[in-house]
Structure formats: C-alpha cells, structure tokens
Amino acid sequence: MKAEILHIDDCPSWVEAGRLLREALDSTGHRDAGITYTLIASEAAATQVPFAGSPTILVDGTDLFPSEGRDTDLVCRIYLTPDGLAGWPTLEQLHHALLSRG
C-alpha cells in the first residue's frame, strides 16, 4: 500500500492529516505502509496529480475522499466531518475510508 499526502506550502493542515493517517494506517493493519509527502508548488504541478486541494490524501494513487474533481488552484481543502467543516478528515473517517477500499 502506498500512502501519499499532496499539500501546498501555505496550508498547515497536511501536518495533522499526516499524523491521523499514520494512526489510521497502523490501526487497520498497515503499519508497514509509509507516507510520502508531496509539495505541490505550482498550478502546473497540480495538473500532474489527482490534487483536490491541500491536503489531498491518496492511497495507491486514489483520493480517499473523492470530490467533484481535480483542483489546480493552490488552496486548502475543506473536509466535511461529523463536527462540521475542517482542514482534515477525522481519524474515524480515515479508518472507515481505509477499510472500505475495494
């Protein structure tokens, strides 16, 4: 399993998203999965990957939280959580998304 977080420099949410993703990977039996952090520094770079705002969380190249498409704008991503809008998904959402992968 390959986990990756696509992020921009100006959005700090990727740090917490990475911490929670590590915890979710560990708790779902994927302790050996590393997490790659990829800085998206330009709109041109954003067109080369499935970027949907920072942080975009990919597992094996697929967005764990698919949205209506890619975003070449270098902006922070907003996730809908049980507690409202946030800059990253909850641990429970990550856990569920990992277990629900086909």
Side-chain angles (χ1 to χ4, degrees):
M1 174 179 287
K2 178 184 175 191
E4 182 176 14
I5 294 184
L6 307 176
H7 68 93
I8 61 172
D9 198 33
D10 292 336
C11 187
S13 297
W14 65 272
V15 175
E16 183 65 8
R19 186 189 72 74
L20 291 170
L21 179 58
R22 173 79 271 152
E23 192 173 336
L25 287 166
D26 291 350
S27 69
T28 57
H30 303 288
R31 291 184 187 277
D32 59 338
I35 302 173
T36 301
Y37 297 90
T38 302
L39 176 65
I40 304 300
S42 68
E43 289 181 6
T47 65
Q48 303 301 309
V49 293
F51 185 69
S54 177
T56 296
I57 303 166
L58 306 177
V59 172
D60 296 330
T62 301
D63 193 336
L64 273 185
F65 301 92
S67 60
E68 293 193 21
R70 293 179 166 185
D71 192 345
T72 59
D73 293 335
L74 303 182
V75 297
C76 288
R77 184 172 181 173
I78 301 297
Y79 290 86
L80 179 58
T81 73
D83 297 323
L85 299 177
W88 53 83
T90 65
L91 177 59
E92 293 77 19
Q93 287 175 307
L94 285 163
H95 190 264
H96 179 72
L98 288 169
L99 292 176
S100 297
R101 292 183 63 242

